[in-house]
Amino acid sequence: MTAQPDLTVNIGALKLRNPVLAASGTFGYGSEYGRFVDLADFGGIVTKTLTPEPWPGNPPPRAAETAAGMLNSIGLQNVGVEAFIRDKMPYLRTVDTALIVNVGGGPVEEFVHVTERLSDCEGIDALEINMSCPNVSGGMDFSTDPRRAAELVSTLRNITGLPLIAKLTPNVTDIGEIARSVEEAGADAISAINTLRGMAVDIRTRRPMLGAVTGGLSGPAIKPVAVAAVYRIASQVSVPVIGIGGIMSGEDAVEFLVAGATAVQVGTATFVEPRAGPSVARTLAEWCAASGVHTVRSLIGSIQIPSPEDAPCHRS
Amino acid sequence: MSTIPICQYDAEILTNREIGPSLYWIDLLAPEITRHALPGHFVHLIASDVSEDSSRQTWLRHTPLLRRPFSIAERDPERGVFGLIYRIVGGGTEILATRRRGERVDVLGPLGRTFDPVRAGRPVIMVAGGVGVAPFLSLAQETARDGRARPEDMTVLFGAATAGLLSGEEKFREYGVDVRLATDDGTTGHHGLVTDLLERELASSPRRCAYLYACGPTPMMRRCQEIAREAGIDGQVSLEGIMPCGVGVCMACVVACAAPGTDPGTDPGAAPGAAPGERSSSRRYERVCDAGPVFDMQEVVL
């Protein structure tokens, strides 16, 4: 048996005990799963997107299961930043894991308000900017336009000293271009991907399966799209990339790291198995030990792309 | 939030048998869940096989992906066994029906808000539609067991499409509870809606009902709300929803709730011109898994 592999990674100034985070929107405010899952087994947790005021969310139904995945259209239902600071932070301060708080809003001023309130709040390690929720109308989608994405990030960069992680949507032509613009604007890291826009129809009633008609697709079905996005982003920027999309196992996490991710987030898998995050971290460590990998950091971006002369010749 | 511990089990299947057309009863060995469960609690389970997979990685199977929620229908604390009723309605329940005695299913529970108990001197009616009977089997069993109220103070009105789907009726009789039946096709009991029975019961012997419980198809529960409102009777409904997490984090399984001071008969989600994600002060959504599945009768907009 080899020595325990070193799982620690750094997201800018933020040091994580392992590269597995709980994804925003799939882990509430920590206390729900904290009732029966040890949150110290995570590298960190990312809480549900906060807006300045409590937000009611979209009409139900808000979820539908699809092949190897699920659609959701929650519409950012959340308690609002003040209730979060008052009611959720006292518990979260007691949790022995990195705390990343996800920030959202409609107009830029709302992101600014939430960021200002959280910057004064003790116990928060980083902010993740939800620039890419597909389920809210009104120009929420900052990450489809490189100029607007950069404006939002630089505005927030000027008002907070906390590490800023920009969470990007895959629903663009070139996610690499958006990634470059948010890096230049001062983002410390990039999370990718948010959900893919999707739709399902009940053919019996001919109605959409979601009350909001379309929603965001997550789960194993989107993993190859996410790996491609991480690979593209990592080739374009030098800040760390946090890979998200259909991660269910340690092997999945290795795939993301090799493609260029420094850390990963586990989301939909947690609904299936509440200990999915700790399980991914544990099986990642087992894989490293079995493969002679002493530190997960050596995996990051270790992808081997064959040169054209090595590639097999395809004939049609 | 409840203080009852949430347990996760690879529960052994003791029986899994067809009790009607596409209707099944499953008994699961899970002592901790059984010990803590109260009437109205549900469990969230993975239908796929976990018994042949010692590494506990069976949840890596991708279709069907999510857990499925089921109300607890019966409890045997001495043996550590609880029972569920389910009907085959899709991929998850189809797989569950193929599972055999001795195999295991991954179960999370007990979850959710439970029923107010039946109290001595407060006669109740339970209106059950189809598999909506499950939580009332549990409520009747616990009431008969703890002896705090008399079984004679409970009446069950049980409706389904056809006689074969009225499984569980005999258990109520075992518990000493009065049962009236209704079927859509007239194969047994009243030929018509179970809510007809409720109206008839309230008209003929109003003192038999000081509190009303309902669980079943949405139109049935909506009619129960109307009848209860007209009769001035309090009560509770038990709901289901598309429930990815089951523990209150994903915010998917919500039901619209009446904002305080508004007419509960109007849909708070249907504010004029309210686009998805738009703010509306009259709108309030509660999670079925966490605030429910049991809600006060007039609290939810169905």
Side-chain angles (χ1 to χ4, degrees):
Chain A
M1 192 70 196
T2 50
Q4 276 295 315
D6 176 4
L7 294 185
T8 59
V9 295
N10 299 304
I11 302 292
L14 179 61
K15 187 172 177 129
L16 305 178
R17 71 165 63 90
N18 70 54
V20 182
L21 306 163
S24 179
T26 66
F27 217 73
Y29 306 104
S31 58
E32 300 88 348
Y33 280 118
R35 285 178 287 172
F36 61 107
V37 175
D38 188 356
L39 304 191
D41 291 338
F42 285 87
I45 61 173
V46 190
T47 52
K48 174 79 182 167
T49 301
L50 293 172
T51 52
E53 303 292 330
W55 197 287
N58 286 343
R62 290 178 175 182
E65 184 164 338
T66 55
M70 60 172 279
L71 291 165
N72 87 79
S73 65
I74 308 304
L76 295 189
Q77 180 170 351
N78 77 97
V79 297
V81 69
E82 299 307 324
F84 173 80
I85 292 170
R86 187 183 65 236
D87 304 333
K88 310 297 181 185
M89 276 308 295
Y91 169 81
L92 287 166
R93 283 191 194 98
T94 69
V95 172
D96 178 25
T97 194
L99 174 62
I100 301 170
V101 177
N102 188 292
V103 173
V108 175
E109 307 81 67
E110 296 194 351
F111 285 87
V112 167
H113 175 85
V114 176
T115 300
E116 280 175 340
R117 292 294 291 124
L118 295 173
S119 298
D120 298 337
C121 183
E122 190 211 323
I124 296 172
D125 296 303
L127 301 180
E128 182 179 70
I129 314 166
N130 183 0
M131 309 171 68
S132 49
C133 178
N135 293 324
V136 181
S137 62
M140 178 70 185
D141 214 340
F142 284 97
S143 73
T144 56
D145 176 349
R147 194 180 49 80
R148 294 189 66 210
E151 275 171 20
L152 177 61
V153 171
S154 64
T155 302
L156 301 183
R157 178 74 292 160
N158 289 333
I159 60 167
T160 187
L162 287 170
L164 283 176
I165 304 165
K167 185 169 178 179
L168 304 186
T169 177
N171 302 315
V172 291
T173 307
D174 178 12
I175 201 169
E177 186 188 8
I178 311 281
R180 284 197 307 274
S181 69
V182 297
E183 180 187 43
E184 282 161 23
D188 298 288
I190 292 167
S191 290
I193 55 178
N194 207 318
T195 54
L196 286 150
R197 187 177 294 277
M199 179 170 169
V201 178
D202 181 336
I203 56 171
R204 190 178 51 83
T205 61
R206 303 196 185 186
R207 287 182 174 201
M209 301 282 270
L210 297 176
V213 184
T214 63
L217 180 65
S218 65
I222 73 166
K223 198 185 79 176
V225 179
V227 173
V230 164
Y231 172 64
R232 172 71 183 156
I233 294 167
S235 74
Q236 299 291 302
V237 301
S238 54
V239 293
V241 182
I242 302 172
I244 319 168
I247 295 162
M248 307 280 279
S249 68
E251 283 88 346
D252 292 341
V254 172
E255 192 177 349
F256 274 86
L257 265 56
V258 169
T262 297
V264 296
Q265 293 181 12
V266 173
T268 302
T270 301
F271 299 155
V272 185
E273 167 51 60
R275 293 172 184 82
S279 166
V280 168
R282 192 189 70 242
T283 51
L284 169 63
E286 287 168 3
W287 185 91
C288 288
S291 309
V293 171
H294 303 298
T295 162
V296 290
R297 294 188 298 281
S298 69
L299 295 171
I300 300 167
S302 61
I303 183 113
Q304 302 293 309
I305 305 290
S307 57
E309 51 270 29
D310 296 339
C313 183
H314 293 288
R315 288 170 192 275
S316 54
Chain B
M1 207 173 275
S2 101
T3 52
I4 288 173
I6 298 173
C7 308
Q8 189 177 6
Y9 261 94
D10 281 345
E12 185 183 340
I13 299 171
L14 299 184
T15 61
N16 188 21
R17 59 178 196 278
E18 194 166 7
I19 54 172
S22 296
L23 190 69
Y24 287 76
W25 182 281
I26 188 167
D27 275 329
L28 296 169
L29 179 64
E32 284 294 304
I33 295 176
T34 305
R35 185 185 316 152
H36 295 292
L38 295 167
H41 267 139
F42 72 96
V43 294
H44 214 199
L45 63 78
I46 297 178
S48 306
D49 194 358
V50 296
S51 60
E52 288 167 21
D53 194 333
S54 55
S55 63
R56 275 193 54 82
Q57 298 288 301
T58 308
W59 51 275
L60 298 179
R61 280 172 206 213
H62 297 164
T63 303
L65 182 69
L66 300 172
R67 289 172 184 268
R68 300 288 190 269
F70 300 94
S71 273
I72 291 173
E74 191 175 86
R75 215 167 63 89
D76 181 346
E78 282 76 45
R79 288 167 62 227
V81 176
F82 69 84
L84 309 173
I85 290 184
Y86 63 97
R87 198 162 59 86
I88 297 182
V89 291
T93 43
E94 211 165 89
I95 288 175
L96 191 58
T98 67
R99 307 297 311 286
R100 297 282 165 256
R101 179 192 167 89
E103 295 177 354
R104 290 171 186 274
V105 285
D106 182 330
V107 192
L108 198 62
L111 301 170
R113 179 189 166 195
T114 55
F115 286 120
D116 280 353
V118 179
R119 294 186 214 146
R122 186 176 74 168
V124 302
I125 290 182
M126 307 171 200
V127 183
V131 288
V133 73
F136 298 136
L137 285 169
S138 174
L139 185 58
Q141 185 192 33
E142 299 298 339
T143 307
R145 177 152 43 207
D146 71 22
R148 273 186 295 181
R150 297 178 310 157
E152 307 90 271
D153 279 341
M154 291 186 277
T155 305
V156 175
L157 309 178
F158 187 8
T162 187
L165 293 171
L166 288 170
S167 198
E169 175 212 345
E170 68 293 342
K171 288 186 190 281
F172 286 118
R173 300 202 200 282
E174 243 174 70
Y175 305 142
V177 174
D178 188 19
V179 196
R180 320 277 167 77
L181 305 175
T183 50
D184 295 345
D185 65 359
T187 40
T188 189
H190 167 67
H191 186 177
L193 300 174
V194 69
T195 48
D196 300 341
L197 291 182
L198 176 62
E199 286 178 277
R200 197 186 292 170
E201 189 68 20
L202 290 178
S204 64
S205 37
R207 281 185 304 167
R208 296 275 299 152
C209 183
Y211 200 76
L212 184 69
Y213 299 97
C215 183
T218 302
M220 185 208 89
M221 289 194 285
R222 203 181 285 140
R223 184 73 191 117
C224 287
Q225 286 181 314
E226 288 167 9
I227 294 169
R229 200 179 303 141
E230 283 159 21
I233 297 170
D234 251 353
Q236 291 180 318
V237 288
S238 178
L239 308 183
E240 62 177 0
I242 307 288
M243 204 176 273
C245 80
V247 296
V249 309
C250 76
M251 316 300 288
C253 63
V254 295
V255 59
C257 286
T262 60
D263 178 359
T266 60
D267 177 1
E278 210 170 276
R279 274 164 224 248
S280 160
S281 58
S282 69
R283 234 177 346 152
R284 182 168 70 91
Y285 293 115
E286 292 288 353
R287 289 158 291 183
V288 172
C289 68
D290 191 56
V294 175
F295 290 91
D296 291 341
M297 180 67 72
Q298 305 298 346
E299 182 184 3
V300 289
V301 181
L302 298 173

mmCIF file of all heavy atoms in Angstrom, chain A residues 31-32 35 88, chain B residues 1-4 247 287 290:
data_model
loop_
_atom_site.group_PDB
_atom_site.id
_atom_site.type_symbol
_atom_site.label_atom_id
_atom_site.label_comp_id
_atom_site.label_asym_id
_atom_site.label_seq_id
_atom_site.Cartn_x
_atom_site.Cartn_y
_atom_site.Cartn_z
ATOM 1 N N SER A 31 -26.904 23.137 5.921
ATOM 2 C CA SER A 31 -27.460 22.505 7.122
ATOM 3 C C SER A 31 -28.382 21.332 6.786
ATOM 4 O O SER A 31 -28.542 20.419 7.596
ATOM 5 C CB SER A 31 -28.223 23.541 7.946
ATOM 6 O OG SER A 31 -29.245 24.127 7.169
ATOM 7 N N GLU A 32 -29.000 21.352 5.597
ATOM 8 C CA GLU A 32 -29.952 20.290 5.246
ATOM 9 C C GLU A 32 -29.244 18.936 5.173
ATOM 10 O O GLU A 32 -29.634 17.975 5.838
ATOM 11 C CB GLU A 32 -30.643 20.600 3.907
ATOM 12 C CG GLU A 32 -31.442 21.902 3.901
ATOM 13 C CD GLU A 32 -30.614 23.129 3.514
ATOM 14 O OE1 GLU A 32 -29.364 23.016 3.468
ATOM 15 O OE2 GLU A 32 -31.199 24.191 3.254
ATOM 16 N N ARG A 35 -27.305 17.499 8.437
ATOM 17 C CA ARG A 35 -27.989 16.686 9.439
ATOM 18 C C ARG A 35 -27.466 15.256 9.450
ATOM 19 O O ARG A 35 -27.538 14.571 10.455
ATOM 20 C CB ARG A 35 -29.503 16.646 9.160
ATOM 21 C CG ARG A 35 -30.234 17.914 9.514
ATOM 22 C CD ARG A 35 -31.717 17.812 9.160
ATOM 23 N NE ARG A 35 -31.937 17.889 7.719
ATOM 24 C CZ ARG A 35 -33.114 17.677 7.138
ATOM 25 N NH1 ARG A 35 -34.163 17.347 7.862
ATOM 26 N NH2 ARG A 35 -33.245 17.782 5.831
ATOM 27 N N LYS A 88 -28.450 31.608 8.272
ATOM 28 C CA LYS A 88 -27.671 30.479 7.735
ATOM 29 C C LYS A 88 -26.191 30.555 8.108
ATOM 30 O O LYS A 88 -25.546 29.529 8.288
ATOM 31 C CB LYS A 88 -27.804 30.412 6.200
ATOM 32 C CG LYS A 88 -29.235 30.464 5.668
ATOM 33 C CD LYS A 88 -30.068 29.274 6.120
ATOM 34 C CE LYS A 88 -31.481 29.337 5.548
ATOM 35 N NZ LYS A 88 -32.337 28.251 6.063
ATOM 36 N N MET B 1 -37.836 22.326 10.895
ATOM 37 C CA MET B 1 -37.141 21.098 10.483
ATOM 38 C C MET B 1 -37.272 20.059 11.586
ATOM 39 O O MET B 1 -37.110 20.355 12.755
ATOM 40 C CB MET B 1 -35.679 21.443 10.214
ATOM 41 C CG MET B 1 -35.026 20.525 9.221
ATOM 42 S SD MET B 1 -33.384 21.122 8.803
ATOM 43 C CE MET B 1 -33.736 22.295 7.504
ATOM 44 N N SER B 2 -37.548 18.858 11.197
ATOM 45 C CA SER B 2 -37.805 17.823 12.202
ATOM 46 C C SER B 2 -36.495 17.384 12.873
ATOM 47 O O SER B 2 -35.429 17.480 12.301
ATOM 48 C CB SER B 2 -38.500 16.628 11.557
ATOM 49 O OG SER B 2 -37.600 15.586 11.308
ATOM 50 N N THR B 3 -36.608 16.908 14.096
ATOM 51 C CA THR B 3 -35.422 16.462 14.819
ATOM 52 C C THR B 3 -35.239 14.956 14.696
ATOM 53 O O THR B 3 -34.322 14.393 15.273
ATOM 54 C CB THR B 3 -35.539 16.830 16.314
ATOM 55 O OG1 THR B 3 -36.790 16.335 16.792
ATOM 56 C CG2 THR B 3 -35.471 18.318 16.533
ATOM 57 N N ILE B 4 -36.136 14.304 13.966
ATOM 58 C CA ILE B 4 -36.023 12.854 13.763
ATOM 59 C C ILE B 4 -34.823 12.580 12.856
ATOM 60 O O ILE B 4 -34.659 13.226 11.827
ATOM 61 C CB ILE B 4 -37.336 12.308 13.151
ATOM 62 C CG1 ILE B 4 -38.423 12.332 14.228
ATOM 63 C CG2 ILE B 4 -37.148 10.904 12.597
ATOM 64 C CD1 ILE B 4 -39.796 11.992 13.753
ATOM 65 N N VAL B 247 -34.877 16.172 0.626
ATOM 66 C CA VAL B 247 -34.457 16.678 1.932
ATOM 67 C C VAL B 247 -34.438 18.202 2.024
ATOM 68 O O VAL B 247 -33.878 18.763 2.961
ATOM 69 C CB VAL B 247 -33.071 16.121 2.337
ATOM 70 C CG1 VAL B 247 -33.127 14.616 2.517
ATOM 71 C CG2 VAL B 247 -32.003 16.495 1.316
ATOM 72 N N ARG B 287 -41.775 23.741 -0.209
ATOM 73 C CA ARG B 287 -41.283 22.438 -0.619
ATOM 74 C C ARG B 287 -42.167 21.328 -0.067
ATOM 75 O O ARG B 287 -42.399 21.266 1.148
ATOM 76 C CB ARG B 287 -39.852 22.237 -0.100
ATOM 77 C CG ARG B 287 -38.839 23.096 -0.800
ATOM 78 C CD ARG B 287 -37.619 23.262 0.049
ATOM 79 N NE ARG B 287 -37.896 24.088 1.235
ATOM 80 C CZ ARG B 287 -36.988 24.441 2.116
ATOM 81 N NH1 ARG B 287 -35.766 24.043 1.994
ATOM 82 N NH2 ARG B 287 -37.325 25.202 3.140
ATOM 83 N N ASP B 290 -40.205 19.033 2.493
ATOM 84 C CA ASP B 290 -39.696 19.562 3.750
ATOM 85 C C ASP B 290 -40.785 20.266 4.560
ATOM 86 O O ASP B 290 -40.995 19.964 5.730
ATOM 87 C CB ASP B 290 -38.551 20.533 3.424
ATOM 88 C CG ASP B 290 -37.790 20.935 4.665
ATOM 89 O OD1 ASP B 290 -37.308 20.023 5.355
ATOM 90 O OD2 ASP B 290 -37.697 22.133 4.938
#
